[in-house]
Amino acid sequence: MIWSSEDVARDVVRRQGAGMPAARVAEEVAQAAVRERETAEEVRCRRVRRSVEGGLPAADPEELAERWAARHAEWRRVQALVEASGWAVYEPERDSVGSAWAAERTFRREQALAAHAAHLERRREAAQEVCGEVWVAAGPGRLLRQAASRAGLTPQEVLAQLAGRVEVGEDGAVSVAPFIPSR
């Protein structure tokens, strides 16, 4: 699961800010503002260098600038909340907006983990299946298509039903009892 820069900033600020006094929150806002300015300037300089030198784009400085901008915005939000609420320290549990975002991130993470587990299970099941490609001569192929058409199936579905009914004798002979393909 990929978190946005805002998600990362909210999580970091929530963890780092827990129990932080209002004065320290103000310092974090100032520090984030400086980092945001520095990283944005670095991105601008790299863009100019790239355009002059014709180099390839480097995503890391841009991502870092984006993260610091998001972190600065989140620290400002926390500072405004602490000041408006009159709290001596930032308490993430009392921050209804931050708590809602944290719950949403947790929910999305759980969904992603469940989807990943389901994907792994499907892959495990698929690994146990046998897939094959069958080339059928024109005559038998025509008969196979006719049987599939009468049953409202595809030729592949008829072949799958055929394979499901295969019997292997003690001498290794492979046979299939007569059957009528069906849905």
Side-chain angles (χ1 to χ4, degrees):
M1 182 179 93
I2 298 174
W3 282 8
S4 69
S5 294
E6 290 78 15
D7 285 334
V8 171
R10 290 170 185 151
D11 186 58
V12 167
V13 169
R14 190 171 169 79
R15 282 185 288 111
Q16 289 179 349
M20 189 177 284
R24 181 75 178 106
V25 170
E27 290 174 16
E28 289 293 332
V29 170
Q31 182 184 10
V34 169
R35 299 274 189 196
E36 179 182 14
R37 244 186 340 271
E38 289 173 350
T39 55
E41 183 59 32
E42 175 65 21
V43 169
R44 279 192 292 279
C45 288
R46 282 182 182 251
R47 284 185 183 151
V48 169
R49 258 186 268 133
R50 266 199 326 260
S51 66
V52 171
E53 299 170 359
L56 295 173
D60 290 344
E62 292 172 4
E63 183 179 328
L64 185 61
E66 186 179 300
R67 286 189 179 203
W68 273 110
R71 197 174 295 185
H72 183 209
E74 183 63 9
W75 276 117
R76 283 192 318 253
R77 185 192 73 78
V78 167
Q79 182 183 30
L81 174 67
V82 169
E83 289 173 357
S85 303
W87 297 345
V89 297
Y90 173 64
E91 299 177 46
E93 313 76 49
R94 293 174 58 189
D95 179 358
S96 60
V97 173
S99 295
W101 285 335
E104 180 186 331
R105 281 192 306 277
T106 301
F107 178 71
R108 286 192 331 235
R109 182 177 187 276
E110 289 170 356
Q111 281 184 317
L113 290 174
H116 182 67
H119 173 73
L120 290 177
E121 181 60 29
R122 284 192 303 274
R123 285 187 63 192
R124 262 192 296 281
E125 289 172 0
Q128 295 173 358
E129 294 177 359
V130 175
C131 284
E133 192 170 305
V134 178
W135 291 87
V136 181
R142 195 172 18 265
L143 294 173
L144 177 63
R145 283 191 298 279
Q146 287 173 357
S149 175
R150 280 193 302 265
L153 301 169
T154 66
Q156 292 83 356
E157 290 170 324
V158 172
L159 287 174
Q161 289 183 17
L162 179 71
R165 291 173 169 76
V166 166
E167 295 176 10
V168 179
E170 289 180 17
D171 60 349
V174 177
S175 63
V176 177
F179 74 98
I180 298 174
S182 61
R183 285 203 167 265

